[in-house]
Amino acid sequence: MCELFGASSIEKAEYNDLLREFYSHDVRNPHGWGIAVREGDRLLVKKEPVRASASEILAGIMERPIRNDLLLAHVRLATKGSIEYENTHPFVQKDVSGQTWTLIHNGTIFESSILDQYVNRQVGSTDSERILCHLIARMNTALRETGTPLTTAQRFGILQDLIVQIVPENKVNVLLTDGETLYAHSNYNGGLHIRKEDGSVIISTQALDGGCWEELPRNTLLAYRDGEEILRGEPHEFEFFDSEEKMRYLYLDFAGI
């Protein structure tokens, strides 16, 4: 059910080898690929609703060194939303201050009245995009109330509150960035793994390349900048567990039944 990859480092590092292995997981995630890399003060996003190994665009990207200090990548297994560009990760939106937010998600929102309000406002039809819609709405409210740019701690607090609101009964493995900080959250056993090196952190759904990986702390929002953890939220109690009922729901939804 989709896979995520993210990296933050103090200096630009090359990620081609890790990304080749990551994108090879398109065997199980054939419905789209995406990548977002920081260039100056903005993130450049490329994505397609096609299998990664079949993409000439991705092949061209991978031929050149991918050297960066902030990066997100995604391969998609569609469970919510049709297989089209608008439903392909990453999703990108700006808040009223001009801050650009970029999100990738692995999981399913089975029930959330908070997110349902965005069904008729979003561009595509995924539950993942609705998470970002709600985040932007929350950021905009805070920005209008304060009348000043939000600090990293304020953004983190808003995101922490949002996560706690939407995780009950839902699978929310998510990576996102405001262009400066990499935020990560998983509430599923083995949902995300992390590799720490001097001046860098790499987060992936699956451990890659046989390196020294460990599971990302569950039920906890974390924030990284320049390859270092800068903030850690209070753990919540809403770990997600698979069930026959939920798996049947996914099957019927994807089949359009």
Side-chain angles (χ1 to χ4, degrees):
M1 189 188 300
C2 300
E3 291 190 28
L4 315 179
F5 180 95
S8 169
S9 59
I10 192 168
E11 295 181 348
K12 290 187 176 182
E14 187 170 317
Y15 293 103
N16 293 66
D17 289 343
L18 286 170
L19 286 171
R20 285 190 188 94
E21 182 178 352
F22 173 76
Y23 282 124
S24 74
H25 297 175
D26 69 340
V27 174
R28 297 180 297 276
N29 302 277
H31 298 143
W33 67 271
I35 188 169
V37 296
R38 181 159 61 186
E39 291 293 340
D41 59 354
R42 63 194 182 110
L43 260 69
L44 300 181
V45 173
K46 293 287 186 182
K47 60 182 182 178
E48 284 185 296
V50 302
R51 187 168 171 173
S53 58
S55 171
E56 294 183 5
I57 293 175
L58 181 59
I61 291 172
M62 295 299 296
E63 285 178 357
R64 300 184 295 273
I66 301 174
R67 293 184 55 82
N68 216 269
D69 54 5
L70 183 61
L71 181 150
L72 295 176
H74 190 272
V75 284
R76 184 181 184 222
L77 175 64
T79 55
K80 289 271 191 174
S82 56
I83 303 168
E84 55 188 328
Y85 182 86
E86 289 78 7
N87 292 330
T88 308
H89 305 228
F91 299 100
V92 181
Q93 291 188 35
K94 286 186 177 182
D95 62 35
V96 293
S97 74
Q99 194 89 32
T100 299
W101 291 82
T102 306
L103 175 146
I104 54 178
H105 173 225
N106 162 28
T108 301
I109 304 299
F110 291 92
E111 53 183 79
S112 176
S113 58
I114 294 171
L115 300 183
D116 288 347
Q117 63 183 305
Y118 301 100
V119 169
N120 295 321
R121 305 185 208 177
Q122 65 188 118
V123 177
S125 55
T126 66
D127 49 4
S128 305
E129 185 187 358
R130 292 195 283 276
I131 298 173
L132 183 58
C133 288
H134 186 49
L135 174 64
I136 294 299
R138 292 286 301 273
M139 291 293 166
N140 288 345
T141 297
L143 284 161
R144 293 186 179 107
E145 288 176 350
T146 61
T148 60
L150 301 176
T151 65
T152 300
Q154 287 173 318
R155 294 175 199 163
F156 185 87
I158 292 168
L159 183 54
Q160 166 78 13
D161 185 57
L162 181 152
I163 290 290
V164 172
Q165 283 185 317
I166 68 173
V167 288
E169 302 300 327
N170 298 314
K171 184 179 179 183
V172 185
N173 300 323
V174 65
L175 297 177
L176 65 156
T177 180
D178 54 15
E180 301 170 359
T181 304
L182 175 65
Y183 304 89
H185 173 270
S186 172
N187 68 329
Y188 184 72
N189 183 22
L192 287 173
H193 294 81
I194 186 167
R195 190 173 88 183
K196 302 175 184 177
E197 301 174 346
D198 290 340
S200 71
V201 294
I202 303 166
I203 301 173
S204 176
T205 299
Q206 296 191 44
L208 305 172
D209 78 357
C212 185
W213 296 80
E214 59 188 44
E215 186 179 350
L216 191 80
R218 254 172 283 166
N219 302 349
T220 305
L221 179 65
L222 300 115
Y224 301 90
R225 183 178 291 176
D226 297 332
E228 298 288 341
E229 181 182 317
I230 59 170
L231 290 167
R232 179 177 292 225
E234 289 294 324
H236 60 75
E237 61 181 345
F238 302 108
E239 183 171 352
F240 179 83
F241 297 95
D242 288 324
S243 69
E244 183 177 340
E245 180 184 1
K246 284 184 166 59
M247 294 307 102
R248 183 175 181 274
Y249 170 86
L250 283 181
Y251 171 76
L252 294 176
D253 189 69
F254 182 64
I257 298 174

